[in-house]
Amino acid sequence: MAGVGLVNVRKSYGAVEVIRDFNLDIEDGSFTVFVGPSGCGKSTLLRMIAGLEDITGGEIRIDGRRVNDADPIERGVAMVFQNYALYPHMTVEQNIGFSLRMAKLSKREIAQRVASAAASLQIEPLLKRRPAQLSGGQRQRVAIGRAIVRDPEVFLFDEPLSNLDAELRVSMRVEIAKLHQRLGATMIYVTHDQTEAMTLADKIVVLRAGKVEQAGSPQDLYDNPANQFVAGFIGSPRMNFIPAQLRSGNAAFAGGIHTVPLDGADQDILVGVRPEHFRVGGDAADVDLKVDVVENLGGTRYLYGALPDGTQLVVEARDEHGIKAGDRVPLGFAQRRPLFFNTSGQRLADLS
Ligand SMILES: Nc1ncnc2c1ncn2[C@@H]1O[C@H](COP(=O)(O)OP(=O)(O)OP(=O)(O)O)[C@@H](O)[C@H]1O
Ligand SMILES: [Mg+2]
């Protein structure tokens, strides 16, 4: 097993710096998930760890060893790509065994490893087929099988489930969690899917423009985001940001109707409240929400609407059935203490 270290890593394409002074320690055996907007450098980071891409500066360490100049094959790393990258003219068996043939393992050893990977992924009946004769989920399993047979210290997954339908995504997500438990290997995983990030990760790393915005456990990032960017990125639907004023130790928001004591100099601020942290209905309401759209998901529903001052909100109404577009719904803010940000998106120190 092996941990991965990135020390002052930089990557430029020509004059464009896409990874900037990147530092991250990935613990041996952990499951780390990279999230961030499109183009922020997630795939580039994985490809640099795999050795498929040179680094412009800094150091990459695997199991404490500097691997900057090591070939991909020497790094003990296997990568699973979003598009699977299977060889179309080879059977499943040949695809899974390909890297082992390249490494000149004996026929017997190859057969054994392929059989054991196929068994663990439950694709034994498919071994003689070609990729074109497989479903998306089956192809995905083959791509993972190709990584498993190499018995890597580190698995790199680049959005491995994004081409699958919703149901298959859920079942493959559970398969990947089981795989991690069974193999105990270090896994680094890129996704745009909130649920995958929250459920799979020991540690989520939120990236923006080639830098780490915040790294921590999923619960940590959800409860205690360092800034507005992370607060808005973790959680779905995303956190609401309500314009407010901090005056003489009080934050006044929702048109001045609701106030909360808050330390700090007088300034305009943003109050962050997650959709699931409002109280909907009841007597002790602070303000009315005028509902424009109701999304009913069966078990829960999301209300899209506006406060009297025009602020747009998304509110989760779990138990309140029968709310329709056009209704005015009493809303309480006191469910949980909100988060406060200054207008540049930095978290305001919350001393209370
Ligand atoms: N070969 C290349 N030459 C020049 N620029 C590149 C090259 N590969 C990637 N980039 C740029 O580097 C940045 C990071 O790309 P990368 O593929 O790592 O993003 P990503 O976070 O994986 O995005 P996505 O979520 O869309 O997959 C982007 O701005 C991209 O345009
Ligand atoms: Mg990518």
Side-chain angles (χ1 to χ4, degrees):
M1 295 304 115
V4 176
L6 296 142
V7 187
N8 303 126
V9 170
R10 290 185 294 112
K11 174 71 182 178
S12 302
Y13 291 109
V16 185
E17 194 164 49
V18 296
I19 301 294
R20 299 185 285 159
D21 201 21
F22 195 96
N23 289 284
L24 186 68
D25 242 331
I26 292 170
E27 262 176 64
D28 183 10
S30 66
F31 202 118
T32 299
V33 174
F34 289 168
V35 297
S38 191
C40 71
K42 304 178 296 292
S43 298
T44 305
L45 281 166
L46 289 197
R47 295 174 57 81
M48 292 193 303
I49 295 167
L52 302 173
E53 195 82 68
D54 288 337
I55 67 175
T56 310
E59 189 167 294
I60 295 183
R61 295 192 190 135
I62 296 177
D63 198 15
R65 202 163 54 92
R66 178 188 155 98
V67 296
N68 288 25
D69 306 313
D71 284 339
I73 201 97
E74 300 170 316
R75 297 191 184 197
V77 166
M79 184 149 166
V80 178
F81 299 90
Q82 175 178 359
N83 59 9
Y84 318 142
L86 301 177
Y87 298 107
H89 59 286
M90 290 185 196
T91 63
V92 167
E93 190 170 25
Q94 290 164 338
N95 263 288
I96 295 179
F98 182 76
S99 67
L100 306 180
R101 290 201 299 282
M102 289 292 107
K104 304 225 181 327
L105 266 63
S106 73
K107 281 215 163 83
R108 196 162 144 242
E109 170 89 25
I110 295 174
Q112 263 171 11
R113 289 215 206 173
V114 171
S116 131
S120 78
L121 293 163
Q122 297 170 347
I123 49 174
E124 291 143 305
L126 309 176
L127 284 171
K128 299 296 175 202
R129 293 203 203 164
R130 290 178 206 283
Q133 300 165 310
L134 302 175
S135 73
Q138 291 167 337
R139 279 179 216 168
Q140 187 56 48
R141 279 166 209 263
V142 177
I144 294 173
R146 209 169 44 173
I148 292 179
V149 284
R150 295 174 51 192
D151 195 16
E153 310 265 354
V154 180
F155 282 85
L156 306 174
F157 292 96
D158 195 354
E159 302 193 51
L161 309 184
S162 57
N163 290 337
L164 306 181
D165 68 44
E167 194 179 336
L168 206 49
R169 278 180 91 127
V170 175
S171 65
M172 285 305 296
R173 186 173 85 215
V174 175
E175 291 302 318
I176 288 175
K178 285 187 191 157
L179 190 69
H180 181 240
Q181 285 167 11
R182 193 167 66 240
L183 303 179
T186 307
M187 295 191 171
I188 309 176
Y189 190 102
V190 170
T191 183
H192 281 105
D193 185 292
Q194 286 282 330
T195 316
E196 281 173 30
M198 292 300 284
T199 57
L200 288 172
D202 298 314
K203 187 196 263 180
I204 297 180
V205 181
V206 182
L207 305 172
R208 171 159 65 163
K211 294 194 78 133
V212 178
E213 283 286 312
Q214 191 175 359
S217 74
Q219 196 66 53
D220 234 22
L221 297 200
Y222 177 89
D223 289 336
N224 220 356
N227 54 43
Q228 188 190 0
F229 180 82
V230 175
F233 209 85
I234 300 292
S236 172
R238 75 196 284 271
M239 182 182 278
N240 297 285
F241 297 104
I242 305 169
Q245 284 82 39
L246 174 53
R247 298 281 182 269
S248 320
N250 269 306
F253 57 105
I257 299 161
H258 192 74
T259 61
V260 178
L262 178 69
D263 284 330
D266 287 4
Q267 59 188 304
D268 288 347
I269 59 170
L270 293 167
V271 180
V273 185
R274 296 195 183 279
E276 56 273 33
H277 293 157
F278 290 100
R279 207 182 51 243
V280 179
D283 303 330
D286 298 301
V287 68
D288 276 356
L289 179 78
K290 183 173 174 301
V291 178
D292 297 322
V293 174
V294 179
E295 279 183 354
N296 191 346
L297 304 185
T300 192
R301 54 225 102 238
Y302 295 112
L303 315 179
Y304 294 76
L307 296 178
D309 69 354
T311 304
Q312 302 285 315
L313 292 188
V314 184
V315 172
E316 180 172 7
R318 189 165 284 281
D319 302 315
E320 295 75 11
H321 300 256
I323 299 172
K324 310 177 298 301
D327 286 356
R328 285 182 190 279
V329 176
L331 208 60
F333 292 103
Q335 185 80 344
R336 184 190 263 234
R337 188 165 170 86
L339 305 180
F340 300 96
F341 305 90
N342 67 19
T343 47
S344 4
Q346 294 311 305
R347 186 84 182 270
L348 290 173
D350 192 347
L351 304 174
S352 46

